[in-house]
Amino acid sequence: MERAALLRRLTWQTGTVIATTVETPRVKTIALAVPDWPGHRAGQHVDVRLTAPDGYQTQRSYSIASAPGDDYLSLTVERLDDGEVSPYLVDELRGGDELEFRGPVGGHFVWDEEFGGPLFLVGGGSGLVPLRSMLRHHRAIGSQVPVRVLCSARSLESLIYREELMKRAADDLIDVSITLTREAPSSWRGYRGRIDPALLSTAGWAAAEEPLTYVCGPTAFVETAAAGLVALGYDAGRIRTERFGGTGV
Amino acid sequence: MAVTRGFHGRRAADPSRVPPGQYVTRDFPVLSAGPTPYPQLDTWEFTIRGAVDKPVSWSWTDFQALPREQFTVDIHCVTKWTKLDVTWSGVSLDTLLAAVPTEAPYAVAFSDGGYTTNIPLADLRRGKAWIVDEYDGRPLDPEHGGPARLLVPHLYFWKSAKWIRGLDLRTADQPGFWEMFGYHNYGDPWKEQRYYGD
Amino acid sequence: MEPLDGNALAGVMHDLFARDMTTMGYKCTSCGHTGVMAEMVVYMSGPGTVARCRGCETILMMLTERRGMYCIDMSGMAQPVLPLA
C-alpha cells in the first residue's frame, strides 16, 4: 500500500524563464523557476511541450543541466536547424516567458552518490548536459568519489560549459580531458580527433578499477564510445548510455 | 491549454490543398520504424506475386528500361505534415500491373526491412500510384526510401512504402505494419482517416 | 534519421505506468538478449514509436497514440520485470 501511494502520474506544469545564457552560438541554457519542483536525480530529463495559437502541439525531451540542489531548473538546448522545438527555445524564448514541461523522468541514466565510482563521464556535444548535472551534484554534496570527464566537441567555440569545466578541473578529485574533432587553435594542448579506444584508455580509468561510466551524445558517438570501452575490458553492466538525435561531434 | 508565446508551430494553409488537421512543411521529414536498408542494386528485384497466375519480377535494369513519368504531387503524412508540390520520377503501377493479370482486389506492399502496408488494388491503378526512384530530379536518398519506394499520394504517406520490393496480391484484405497497430485501414487524408474507426 | 534509445521513452512510459519504466528488464523473444528499456533502439519519427532489440533489431514494443489514448504492444519481449515504483 505504501508503494502504491508513491505512484504518480505525470502532469504538465509551468516554469517561468528567469534567465537565458548563451553557451555557444548554437546553444543556450534556460533557467526556470518552478513552483513546487519535487527535485530530481542528476542525469534525468524533462519533456518540454510547445503549443501554437491554433492548438498545434509538439514536444521534445531535454536533459536537466542543473544539480538537484541548484536554485533553478536549467535546460541546455542545442539549436538544430531543421528542428521544430529547439529553434524556438534558442531563438525566441526569453526571460519572463512561461514554458510547459513534465518531469523529471528517467531512472537509468542517473547518478546517485551511493552508486560510488570511480566515475568516468564521457560526453559528445550537448551530451555533456546531463553529465554537468552529475558533476555539479558531485561537488554540491562534497562527494569523495574520483571523477574523470572526457568531452568531445567540434571546436573550442562549440564546447559548452567551457569555463565551468576549467573550474572543475582545478579540483583534485576531478580530471577533465577535452578533445576537439574539427579544428583546434595552434596553441591547443588538449586532445585532437574523434574518440577511440586509445583516447578512452588515456582519459579514463583502468578496467581493473571497475569504473562506473556514463556516456551521452549523438547516437554514433555513443556507439563508438561504448564499443571502445567494452574493448578495453570495461564491464558492460557498468556503462550507462543515453543517445540523442543531435548534430555530430 | 496554455499557448506558448511566440511559438507559431507549422502554418496551416490553403484549405483546398491542405487536408483537415494538416500543416504545411517545407522540409522533408524522415520517418522510420527501423534501420535503413542498403540493398545491392545488382540483386534488387521488384516482384508482383500472390494471387496471380505466375509471379513477375523486374531487376533494377529491367525496371530502368520501363517507360518513366515525371510528375508533381502533394504528400500528406499522418503525423500532420503536408508537403506541397513534390516532384518525383518513376514507373506507373499501371505499367507494372499490366504484366500481371489478376482478379485480386487487394495488395500488400512489402519492403526491405520487413515493412508492409495494405492498399486496395483499385487505388494503385489508373494513374494513381507509382514506384519512384527519383525525388526532385535526383536519385531517391536511402533515408527517404531509396533505391525505390511506392508512391500513393492520395492516401496518407505511410501507405507509400519506403524501400519497396514488391506487391503481394490477395483475395482477402490483410492489415500491414501500422494498420495492425491502430492506424486506419484505408487512410484518406481528406476524410482524416488517421486511426481505426475514423 | 538516427534512432534514439529507450531513455527517450521515459516521459510517455512514466505517464502511462506512473513510475519510471526505463529500468524495466526484458528478454528478447527472438535472440534472447536481455537488457533494460533504456537500452532499446527507439524510432520515434514515424506514425508511432517502435522499440527494437539492441542485439537483433527485432521489434520488442510498439506504442501508438490515438487522440490521447495509447496502445502498447510488447509482443517481442518476454519476462518484463517491472521496476519498483
Side-chain angles (χ1 to χ4, degrees):
Chain A
M1 286 305 287
E2 279 179 27
R3 178 161 297 140
L6 289 171
L7 291 175
R8 182 176 66 88
R9 279 204 69 166
L10 282 181
T11 48
W12 292 98
Q13 52 190 317
T14 302
T16 305
V17 179
I18 295 298
T20 63
T21 311
V22 175
E23 303 284 356
T24 78
R26 314 178 53 82
V27 181
K28 260 188 193 167
T29 294
I30 299 157
L32 296 165
V34 184
D36 307 320
W37 177 243
H40 67 276
R41 296 165 72 192
Q44 284 192 297
H45 52 269
V46 296
D47 292 344
V48 170
R49 179 167 78 178
L50 306 183
T51 304
D54 62 2
Y56 176 78
Q57 290 188 319
T58 186
Q59 66 186 64
R60 292 292 185 279
S61 211
Y62 290 102
S63 286
I64 298 172
S66 47
D70 286 355
D71 292 340
Y72 299 113
L73 175 71
S74 293
L75 309 178
T76 299
V77 178
E78 178 184 5
R79 187 187 196 288
L80 305 178
D81 291 337
D82 56 352
E84 191 180 10
V85 175
S86 64
Y88 171 81
L89 294 176
V90 172
D91 299 344
E92 181 66 34
L93 192 74
R94 56 183 191 227
D97 280 346
E98 300 211 311
L99 192 64
E100 214 176 10
F101 68 95
R102 66 181 181 186
V105 294
H108 176 73
F109 199 81
V110 294
W111 179 74
D112 295 337
E113 150 98 313
E114 68 198 57
F115 296 170
L119 267 180
F120 186 27
L121 308 180
V122 183
S126 42
L128 275 173
V129 177
L131 308 182
R132 184 228 208 184
S133 177
M134 293 176 188
L135 268 180
R136 282 195 164 196
H137 182 54
H138 180 278
R139 291 328 305 136
I141 61 174
S143 172
Q144 290 305 301
V145 172
V147 190
R148 290 185 179 166
V149 187
L150 173 58
C151 312
S152 175
R154 290 180 173 192
S155 63
L156 207 50
E157 293 70 38
S158 68
L159 174 68
I160 60 174
Y161 311 139
R162 194 168 138 192
E163 283 176 25
E164 184 167 334
L165 286 167
M166 300 299 169
K167 204 172 80 187
R168 298 276 175 240
D171 193 300
D172 284 346
L173 279 172
I174 300 177
D175 186 66
V176 177
S177 304
I178 296 166
T179 186
L180 302 178
T181 60
R182 295 273 178 90
E183 52 176 291
S186 52
S187 60
W188 177 246
R189 291 193 298 170
Y191 299 99
R192 293 166 197 257
R194 291 170 181 270
I195 51 156
D196 58 17
L199 178 53
L200 289 164
S201 169
T202 310
W205 302 93
E209 310 241 24
E210 297 179 3
L212 178 58
T213 305
Y214 292 81
V215 184
C216 185
T219 299
F221 174 87
V222 172
E223 303 301 348
T224 304
L229 291 165
V230 169
L232 290 172
Y234 276 52
D235 173 6
R238 284 177 66 79
I239 302 171
R240 299 189 187 193
T241 51
E242 182 162 278
R243 298 158 182 82
F244 61 81
T247 50
V249 287
Chain B
M1 185 168 57
V3 171
T4 314
R5 184 206 61 78
F7 178 64
H8 305 292
R10 302 164 178 179
R11 302 285 158 88
D14 182 358
S16 70
R17 284 192 71 184
V18 182
Q22 296 292 109
Y23 301 83
V24 173
T25 178
R26 258 176 250 135
D27 311 326
F28 192 172
V30 174
L31 303 183
S32 284
T36 301
Y38 292 89
Q40 296 290 314
L41 288 184
D42 53 2
T43 54
W44 184 94
E45 279 187 331
F46 180 84
T47 302
I48 300 180
R49 65 185 192 199
V52 296
D53 290 341
K54 199 168 146 241
V56 178
S57 295
W58 289 262
S59 69
W60 186 253
T61 315
D62 298 338
F63 178 77
Q64 294 299 320
L66 294 169
R68 302 180 65 83
E69 294 177 14
Q70 192 183 61
F71 55 96
T72 299
V73 292
D74 302 340
I75 54 178
H76 312 292
C77 179
V78 74
T79 61
K80 300 202 166 177
W81 56 264
T82 280
K83 186 171 173 61
L84 301 173
D85 299 321
V86 193
T87 299
W88 307 88
S89 162
V91 175
S92 168
L93 266 170
D94 290 315
T95 304
L96 295 158
L97 285 166
V100 195
T102 180
E103 300 289 313
Y106 301 105
V108 174
F110 59 92
S111 297
D112 278 322
Y115 183 77
T116 58
T117 187
N118 58 317
I119 303 141
L121 201 52
D123 285 84
L124 300 179
R125 295 192 191 273
R126 295 172 157 245
K128 284 192 286 202
W130 297 262
I131 303 297
V132 295
D133 59 356
E134 280 187 17
Y135 154 71
D136 218 5
R138 298 212 184 102
L140 189 58
D141 268 351
E143 63 174 16
H144 287 304
R149 74 181 297 161
L150 179 61
L151 191 74
V152 197
H154 69 288
L155 301 178
Y156 279 127
F157 206 43
W158 88 79
K159 296 285 185 181
S160 296
K162 301 206 283 194
W163 312 310
I164 188 136
R165 292 301 290 272
L167 298 177
D168 201 356
L169 304 191
R170 310 186 71 92
T171 50
D173 197 11
Q174 179 178 306
F177 186 85
W178 289 117
E179 292 83 2
M180 270 194 294
F181 289 103
Y183 281 83
H184 197 274
N185 199 52
Y186 183 65
D188 181 347
W190 294 98
K191 294 181 180 159
E192 218 176 340
Q193 292 172 337
R194 297 179 194 275
Y195 308 106
Y196 176 83
D198 282 355
Chain C
M1 188 83 189
E2 294 269 20
L4 303 177
D5 63 29
N7 293 296
L9 300 178
V12 65
M13 294 301 280
H14 193 135
D15 188 33
L16 297 174
F17 289 85
R19 69 182 80 190
D20 176 55
M21 291 291 284
T22 56
T23 55
M24 184 192 80
Y26 76 92
K27 181 175 178 184
C28 172
T29 53
S30 182
C31 73
H33 180 90
T34 57
V36 295
M37 179 173 287
E39 294 160 353
M40 293 177 183
V41 183
V42 171
Y43 295 84
M44 299 183 81
S45 64
T49 295
V50 178
R52 293 177 182 262
C53 176
R54 192 156 291 283
C56 70
E57 296 182 349
T58 288
I59 295 178
L60 300 169
M61 188 178 81
M62 298 272 301
L63 179 68
T64 51
E65 188 208 340
R66 182 179 162 185
R67 306 204 169 101
M69 232 172 63
Y70 283 87
C71 169
I72 299 184
D73 183 292
M74 298 195 180
S75 53
M77 63 175 101
Q79 305 170 0
V81 182
L82 227 59
L84 297 180

